[in-house]
Amino acid sequence: MLPARNRMRRSSEFDATVKYGLRTVQPDVIVHVRRGCSRDEANAPHVGLIIAKPVGSAVERHRVARRLRHVARTMLGDLGEADQVVIRALPSSRNVSSAWLAQQLRNGLRRAFELAGTDR
């Protein structure tokens, strides 16, 4: 579970991260990263999930969301205090292991940091 201070709640945060952030595509997830954005509560990174209906039934979507939240929690230390991350699950994400999702998320974040010119 993600700590409350790291959860993205506002639709404006989701919209800005997806629109202005860097996007990296992995086989089962798409990672949007917005580095060092200026927001009022810039004391912790924010992570949001997008799990759309094509991923599967409600049970499958919730399972994918729980797994992605758990994986994202382990990577909070790699993010800066003002970073925002949105993880969009693709339909194939329901059929892969948590370890594979973790690897894809790590690769997506690493690639976004390289594109941004930072080495976090």
Side-chain angles (χ1 to χ4, degrees), residues 25-41:
V25 179
Q26 300 296 313
D28 301 307
V29 294
I30 298 173
V31 181
H32 299 270
V33 179
R34 189 168 180 214
R35 302 295 318 251
C37 54
S38 59
R39 41 172 225 266
D40 298 338
E41 308 157 355

PDB file of all heavy atoms in Angstrom, residues 25-41:
ATOM      1  N   VAL A  25       7.104   3.582 -22.608  1.00  0.00           N
ATOM      2  CA  VAL A  25       6.188   2.466 -22.837  1.00  0.00           C
ATOM      3  C   VAL A  25       6.931   1.157 -22.602  1.00  0.00           C
ATOM      4  O   VAL A  25       8.012   0.937 -23.143  1.00  0.00           O
ATOM      5  CB  VAL A  25       5.629   2.510 -24.276  1.00  0.00           C
ATOM      6  CG1 VAL A  25       4.695   1.343 -24.527  1.00  0.00           C
ATOM      7  CG2 VAL A  25       4.921   3.833 -24.523  1.00  0.00           C
ATOM      8  N   GLN A  26       6.340   0.319 -21.794  1.00  0.00           N
ATOM      9  CA  GLN A  26       6.842  -1.021 -21.513  1.00  0.00           C
ATOM     10  C   GLN A  26       5.785  -2.005 -22.023  1.00  0.00           C
ATOM     11  O   GLN A  26       4.663  -1.606 -22.331  1.00  0.00           O
ATOM     12  CB  GLN A  26       7.077  -1.195 -20.011  1.00  0.00           C
ATOM     13  CG  GLN A  26       8.089  -0.219 -19.429  1.00  0.00           C
ATOM     14  CD  GLN A  26       9.471  -0.427 -19.997  1.00  0.00           C
ATOM     15  OE1 GLN A  26       9.967  -1.541 -20.082  1.00  0.00           O
ATOM     16  NE2 GLN A  26      10.095   0.666 -20.423  1.00  0.00           N
ATOM     17  N   PRO A  27       6.099  -3.296 -22.085  1.00  0.00           N
ATOM     18  CA  PRO A  27       5.121  -4.249 -22.624  1.00  0.00           C
ATOM     19  C   PRO A  27       3.780  -4.286 -21.882  1.00  0.00           C
ATOM     20  O   PRO A  27       2.740  -4.485 -22.501  1.00  0.00           O
ATOM     21  CB  PRO A  27       5.836  -5.591 -22.503  1.00  0.00           C
ATOM     22  CG  PRO A  27       7.282  -5.252 -22.520  1.00  0.00           C
ATOM     23  CD  PRO A  27       7.398  -3.920 -21.847  1.00  0.00           C
ATOM     24  N   ASP A  28       3.797  -4.077 -20.561  1.00  0.00           N
ATOM     25  CA  ASP A  28       2.559  -4.217 -19.791  1.00  0.00           C
ATOM     26  C   ASP A  28       2.124  -2.953 -19.056  1.00  0.00           C
ATOM     27  O   ASP A  28       1.043  -2.927 -18.471  1.00  0.00           O
ATOM     28  CB  ASP A  28       2.704  -5.361 -18.783  1.00  0.00           C
ATOM     29  CG  ASP A  28       3.019  -6.676 -19.475  1.00  0.00           C
ATOM     30  OD1 ASP A  28       2.270  -7.044 -20.393  1.00  0.00           O
ATOM     31  OD2 ASP A  28       4.023  -7.314 -19.115  1.00  0.00           O
ATOM     32  N   VAL A  29       2.959  -1.917 -19.040  1.00  0.00           N
ATOM     33  CA  VAL A  29       2.614  -0.657 -18.380  1.00  0.00           C
ATOM     34  C   VAL A  29       3.174   0.512 -19.177  1.00  0.00           C
ATOM     35  O   VAL A  29       4.148   0.374 -19.908  1.00  0.00           O
ATOM     36  CB  VAL A  29       3.140  -0.575 -16.922  1.00  0.00           C
ATOM     37  CG1 VAL A  29       2.465  -1.572 -16.021  1.00  0.00           C
ATOM     38  CG2 VAL A  29       4.639  -0.711 -16.864  1.00  0.00           C
ATOM     39  N   ILE A  30       2.525   1.649 -19.015  1.00  0.00           N
ATOM     40  CA  ILE A  30       3.044   2.912 -19.543  1.00  0.00           C
ATOM     41  C   ILE A  30       3.324   3.790 -18.332  1.00  0.00           C
ATOM     42  O   ILE A  30       2.471   3.923 -17.445  1.00  0.00           O
ATOM     43  CB  ILE A  30       2.034   3.595 -20.479  1.00  0.00           C
ATOM     44  CG1 ILE A  30       1.751   2.704 -21.688  1.00  0.00           C
ATOM     45  CG2 ILE A  30       2.544   4.962 -20.923  1.00  0.00           C
ATOM     46  CD1 ILE A  30       0.647   3.219 -22.580  1.00  0.00           C
ATOM     47  N   VAL A  31       4.518   4.359 -18.284  1.00  0.00           N
ATOM     48  CA  VAL A  31       4.931   5.173 -17.132  1.00  0.00           C
ATOM     49  C   VAL A  31       5.066   6.620 -17.585  1.00  0.00           C
ATOM     50  O   VAL A  31       5.812   6.918 -18.520  1.00  0.00           O
ATOM     51  CB  VAL A  31       6.272   4.659 -16.554  1.00  0.00           C
ATOM     52  CG1 VAL A  31       6.675   5.478 -15.344  1.00  0.00           C
ATOM     53  CG2 VAL A  31       6.187   3.183 -16.205  1.00  0.00           C
ATOM     54  N   HIS A  32       4.335   7.509 -16.925  1.00  0.00           N
ATOM     55  CA  HIS A  32       4.428   8.943 -17.163  1.00  0.00           C
ATOM     56  C   HIS A  32       5.131   9.555 -15.954  1.00  0.00           C
ATOM     57  O   HIS A  32       4.704   9.339 -14.817  1.00  0.00           O
ATOM     58  CB  HIS A  32       3.048   9.586 -17.283  1.00  0.00           C
ATOM     59  CG  HIS A  32       2.227   9.047 -18.405  1.00  0.00           C
ATOM     60  ND1 HIS A  32       2.259   9.586 -19.663  1.00  0.00           N
ATOM     61  CD2 HIS A  32       1.343   8.011 -18.456  1.00  0.00           C
ATOM     62  CE1 HIS A  32       1.423   8.923 -20.446  1.00  0.00           C
ATOM     63  NE2 HIS A  32       0.870   7.959 -19.733  1.00  0.00           N
ATOM     64  N   VAL A  33       6.202  10.312 -16.193  1.00  0.00           N
ATOM     65  CA  VAL A  33       6.972  10.912 -15.101  1.00  0.00           C
ATOM     66  C   VAL A  33       7.087  12.405 -15.345  1.00  0.00           C
ATOM     67  O   VAL A  33       7.491  12.835 -16.417  1.00  0.00           O
ATOM     68  CB  VAL A  33       8.385  10.299 -15.008  1.00  0.00           C
ATOM     69  CG1 VAL A  33       9.180  10.949 -13.888  1.00  0.00           C
ATOM     70  CG2 VAL A  33       8.318   8.800 -14.814  1.00  0.00           C
ATOM     71  N   ARG A  34       6.733  13.166 -14.335  1.00  0.00           N
ATOM     72  CA  ARG A  34       6.895  14.624 -14.371  1.00  0.00           C
ATOM     73  C   ARG A  34       7.854  14.995 -13.255  1.00  0.00           C
ATOM     74  O   ARG A  34       7.533  14.860 -12.075  1.00  0.00           O
ATOM     75  CB  ARG A  34       5.549  15.302 -14.196  1.00  0.00           C
ATOM     76  CG  ARG A  34       5.622  16.786 -14.435  1.00  0.00           C
ATOM     77  CD  ARG A  34       4.231  17.372 -14.549  1.00  0.00           C
ATOM     78  NE  ARG A  34       4.335  18.801 -14.767  1.00  0.00           N
ATOM     79  CZ  ARG A  34       3.470  19.663 -14.298  1.00  0.00           C
ATOM     80  NH1 ARG A  34       2.426  19.263 -13.612  1.00  0.00           N
ATOM     81  NH2 ARG A  34       3.636  20.945 -14.533  1.00  0.00           N
ATOM     82  N   ARG A  35       9.048  15.410 -13.636  1.00  0.00           N
ATOM     83  CA  ARG A  35      10.109  15.693 -12.670  1.00  0.00           C
ATOM     84  C   ARG A  35       9.991  17.096 -12.106  1.00  0.00           C
ATOM     85  O   ARG A  35       9.737  18.044 -12.826  1.00  0.00           O
ATOM     86  CB  ARG A  35      11.489  15.570 -13.340  1.00  0.00           C
ATOM     87  CG  ARG A  35      11.828  14.251 -13.958  1.00  0.00           C
ATOM     88  CD  ARG A  35      11.951  13.110 -12.977  1.00  0.00           C
ATOM     89  NE  ARG A  35      12.639  13.395 -11.767  1.00  0.00           N
ATOM     90  CZ  ARG A  35      13.838  12.942 -11.431  1.00  0.00           C
ATOM     91  NH1 ARG A  35      14.501  12.185 -12.252  1.00  0.00           N
ATOM     92  NH2 ARG A  35      14.362  13.230 -10.274  1.00  0.00           N
ATOM     93  N   GLY A  36      10.204  17.227 -10.806  1.00  0.00           N
ATOM     94  CA  GLY A  36      10.332  18.517 -10.148  1.00  0.00           C
ATOM     95  C   GLY A  36       9.249  19.518 -10.439  1.00  0.00           C
ATOM     96  O   GLY A  36       9.524  20.689 -10.597  1.00  0.00           O
ATOM     97  N   CYS A  37       8.006  19.065 -10.516  1.00  0.00           N
ATOM     98  CA  CYS A  37       6.925  19.997 -10.795  1.00  0.00           C
ATOM     99  C   CYS A  37       6.659  20.851  -9.560  1.00  0.00           C
ATOM    100  O   CYS A  37       6.904  20.439  -8.440  1.00  0.00           O
ATOM    101  CB  CYS A  37       5.673  19.252 -11.218  1.00  0.00           C
ATOM    102  SG  CYS A  37       5.183  18.011 -10.043  1.00  0.00           S
ATOM    103  N   SER A  38       6.188  22.050  -9.763  1.00  0.00           N
ATOM    104  CA  SER A  38       5.919  22.943  -8.636  1.00  0.00           C
ATOM    105  C   SER A  38       4.471  22.752  -8.202  1.00  0.00           C
ATOM    106  O   SER A  38       3.537  23.041  -8.921  1.00  0.00           O
ATOM    107  CB  SER A  38       6.161  24.387  -9.050  1.00  0.00           C
ATOM    108  OG  SER A  38       5.330  24.720 -10.130  1.00  0.00           O
ATOM    109  N   ARG A  39       4.297  22.259  -7.024  1.00  0.00           N
ATOM    110  CA  ARG A  39       2.957  22.142  -6.453  1.00  0.00           C
ATOM    111  C   ARG A  39       3.030  22.547  -4.987  1.00  0.00           C
ATOM    112  O   ARG A  39       4.099  22.634  -4.412  1.00  0.00           O
ATOM    113  CB  ARG A  39       2.373  20.739  -6.608  1.00  0.00           C
ATOM    114  CG  ARG A  39       3.288  19.588  -6.383  1.00  0.00           C
ATOM    115  CD  ARG A  39       2.492  18.292  -6.387  1.00  0.00           C
ATOM    116  NE  ARG A  39       2.949  17.515  -5.272  1.00  0.00           N
ATOM    117  CZ  ARG A  39       3.890  16.595  -5.355  1.00  0.00           C
ATOM    118  NH1 ARG A  39       4.442  16.321  -6.504  1.00  0.00           N
ATOM    119  NH2 ARG A  39       4.290  15.954  -4.291  1.00  0.00           N
ATOM    120  N   ASP A  40       1.909  22.785  -4.406  1.00  0.00           N
ATOM    121  CA  ASP A  40       1.864  23.309  -3.045  1.00  0.00           C
ATOM    122  C   ASP A  40       2.469  22.339  -2.029  1.00  0.00           C
ATOM    123  O   ASP A  40       3.160  22.738  -1.118  1.00  0.00           O
ATOM    124  CB  ASP A  40       0.416  23.623  -2.650  1.00  0.00           C
ATOM    125  CG  ASP A  40      -0.179  24.698  -3.539  1.00  0.00           C
ATOM    126  OD1 ASP A  40       0.599  25.470  -4.139  1.00  0.00           O
ATOM    127  OD2 ASP A  40      -1.408  24.749  -3.650  1.00  0.00           O
ATOM    128  N   GLU A  41       2.194  21.061  -2.194  1.00  0.00           N
ATOM    129  CA  GLU A  41       2.651  20.063  -1.221  1.00  0.00           C
ATOM    130  C   GLU A  41       3.819  19.269  -1.800  1.00  0.00           C
ATOM    131  O   GLU A  41       3.764  18.064  -1.912  1.00  0.00           O
ATOM    132  CB  GLU A  41       1.503  19.117  -0.882  1.00  0.00           C
ATOM    133  CG  GLU A  41       0.242  19.813  -0.470  1.00  0.00           C
ATOM    134  CD  GLU A  41      -0.976  18.945  -0.681  1.00  0.00           C
ATOM    135  OE1 GLU A  41      -0.849  17.849  -1.238  1.00  0.00           O
ATOM    136  OE2 GLU A  41      -2.045  19.364  -0.287  1.00  0.00           O
TER     137      GLU A  41
END
